[in-house]
Amino acid sequence: MRNYKKPFEFVRLLAKASKYYGIDIIYCHPSQVDTTEGKISGKILLNNRWESITVPIPEYIDLNAYCYKYKETIDYLKKKSTLSSPRRFGSKESVYKKLIDDGQFAKIVPPTLLINSENDFRLLIEDYNKVILKPKKGHKGQGIYKINIVEDNYHVTQDCEEKIFNQSEMESFLQKQIIPNNYLGQKYVESTTSNGDPFDCRIRLEKNGEGKWEVVVYLVRIGSGNKVVSNVSQGGSVNKLLPFIKYNYPDNWNEIKEQIDYIAENLPEKIEQLFNKKTSFLGIDLGIDKGGSVYLFEVNSAPGVEFGEGELANIKSDYYNYILKNKKLSKN
């Protein structure tokens, strides 16, 4: 179940992989749920063609956080089926706070502050000189600003555009753009290539055929031509992690890889534990500063399927089979 009306190409691949286990994939939109009749209308792949079908509410529904805006429908489905993921674990701020309070991953969380006033911003910029301002509920790297002080002026950069504000102009910008729109201020982590392009590392995870977390793919996303964010939806390129860190961090790439592996192995369960919510997929976005320290940028509860599609389809179908077998065992 997704917000797109028509099945996208990955769903075709997933339907074929799931058929190995005798599992039929029905693709649907939340609006196609009939709460009166207890049925779902959607599409099924037959002879490599998508055909219309109506079925009773299935025992398991793979949906992402964007479907939760159909509140009444999702509330109904919670009572009739098992859903793959919660709406989300929490805002960026709450994720950072819980991780800091817990302690295990506190050192990878950049210093962060909710910007409720000009004074909040002033405290942050005085401590770190260069900061990132990003929406508390941001999406795909939109609305993010990098700000640093140069000779009493504020250099404000968004995407490829840089503006220079004096003190009065900066105060006006904060009052109009930042404070009313729930922005977080964060120490700037200089996660950039030798060419100055911003990058982040995406760990894409799914639960596997044993119900355990497994890394689907490690990616490095480079925001070519963008001065602030590395989200490839705004342009850029994608590399594999290992050759990238070997090239950019030749003296300590092995230690960096160990840090990232530890995060991949332990952070997903920690997030589920801290929020007391279960999910079957996650994206973890990390930055690496010039010294090789790894920082958490975001925990994404609705990661895309654009990369590693073959591995993703295989692991998802394995997990569907795991769910099916355990449901049969629980009934018996």
Side-chain angles (χ1 to χ4, degrees), residues 247-270:
Y247 178 80
N248 285 276
Y249 301 88
D251 297 329
N252 56 346
W253 68 266
N254 194 47
E255 291 86 348
I256 293 170
K257 182 64 166 58
E258 287 178 357
Q259 289 183 70
I260 293 173
D261 286 342
Y262 179 82
I263 291 167
E265 185 177 345
N266 296 282
L267 185 56
E269 286 187 11
K270 176 62 69 174

Side-chain angles (χ1 to χ4, degrees), residues 86 113 128 200 243:
L113 183 66
Y128 303 108
D200 72 359

